[in-house]
Amino acid sequence: MRALLRARRRELLRLSIVIPTLDAAETLPRCLDALAAADERIVADGGSRDGTPALAEAAGARVIQTERGRGRQLRTGAAAATGDWLLFVHADTILAPDWAEEVRQHTQRVPQRPACFRFRLDDPSWQARLVERGVALRVALLGLPYGDQGLLVSRALYDRVGGFADLPLMEDVDLIRRLPRPVVLPADAVTSAARWRRDGWLRRSARNLAVLTLWRLGLSPERAARLYG
């Protein structure tokens, strides 16, 4: 009976999703629609002027206004969340339909570890597949997913490591370096390839790698943000 009660208690754990936004009206509705299974969806908006907050509220999400800056927005959203588990998702990322079941299994199987999803781009080109393989290799070798893969972490663990820092960039890398190595869940996080198409596949990928390398060598987050563009 005690084992049954413990199992039932695990099933009742609440999940809060936090999404930082800034003029995300084009992508946010699909993102929120894919996350309907969550107990709580929080949109931490950094001053959008395109109707993003109204769209979020119309979709049933809770909107919190905060100062611009992804680290600050994520930190503010997490502070307002009420769930036992936190899932951080970017507004231009759409999780595959099986995400909720994979999250449920992870929270029961290895609750002491954070998790992320498999990185995918919404582009059919071979360049997109090459970027995806590069990301998979980075995660496998370094245990370093970025925020566009989503980040699932228990509230207890998040609080224990201090949560997101108030950084304009690299807030995801900064947090992940303080966490145990994330588990990659067998579900896709499909992210917009607009930045790669706009900047060029090679140029955008090289810029991402250069910013990460320079930041780890001591470049300030503010200068990294300017270089990232």
Side-chain angles (χ1 to χ4, degrees):
M1 177 61 73
R2 289 181 180 177
L4 181 61
L5 288 174
R6 284 196 297 269
R8 180 57 179 162
R9 195 174 297 118
R10 287 195 298 268
E11 291 284 347
L12 294 175
L13 291 177
R14 283 175 51 81
L15 174 68
S16 295
I17 295 180
V18 178
I19 306 169
T21 58
L22 182 65
D23 295 331
E26 184 176 347
T27 60
L28 183 63
R30 290 183 64 202
C31 172
L32 285 172
D33 184 59
L35 302 173
D39 298 294
E40 180 178 51
R41 294 172 299 168
I42 294 176
V43 170
D45 189 72
S48 294
R49 298 182 179 181
D50 66 347
T52 292
L55 286 172
E57 290 176 344
R62 178 183 172 193
V63 177
I64 295 177
Q65 296 289 349
T66 181
E67 293 182 44
R68 178 177 177 176
R70 202 158 59 193
R72 180 174 301 174
Q73 291 172 237
L74 287 164
R75 187 176 182 88
T76 302
T82 62
D84 306 287
W85 280 80
L86 305 173
L87 175 57
F88 301 97
V89 179
H90 288 181
D92 62 350
T93 296
I94 300 172
L95 298 189
D98 55 345
W99 74 266
E101 177 59 21
E102 294 300 334
V103 164
R104 185 190 67 81
Q105 291 188 29
H106 175 80
T107 61
Q108 297 180 20
R109 198 166 50 231
V110 278
Q112 72 280 10
R113 298 269 300 277
C116 63
F117 298 95
R118 294 179 304 210
F119 177 79
R120 296 289 183 268
L121 288 169
D122 64 349
D123 190 286
S125 68
W126 65 266
Q127 293 97 328
R129 304 292 81 77
L130 190 60
V131 171
E132 291 168 357
R133 292 188 184 98
V135 169
L137 183 62
R138 184 191 69 228
V139 175
L141 294 179
L142 304 178
L144 188 60
Y146 288 167
D148 47 18
Q149 290 181 250
L151 178 63
L152 174 70
V153 60
S154 71
R155 161 65 76 177
L157 179 57
Y158 176 86
D159 288 343
R160 187 158 66 245
V161 302
F164 280 103
D166 185 3
L167 298 174
L169 191 71
M170 294 295 169
E171 78 293 331
D172 46 3
V173 176
D174 173 76
L175 176 58
I176 287 167
R177 290 178 64 187
R178 290 181 273 125
L179 291 169
R181 188 184 184 98
V183 174
V184 181
L185 302 180
D188 293 343
V190 183
T191 293
S192 170
R195 287 170 293 166
W196 281 269
R197 289 191 290 261
R198 181 192 66 213
D199 300 338
W201 291 93
L202 180 58
R203 181 178 299 177
R204 168 50 65 178
S205 297
R207 182 183 296 178
N208 291 348
L209 179 59
V211 170
L212 173 63
T213 302
L214 291 171
W215 181 78
R216 297 191 72 168
L217 291 173
L219 184 70
S220 72
E222 292 74 20
R223 293 184 65 185
R226 288 196 295 271
L227 179 61
Y228 183 79

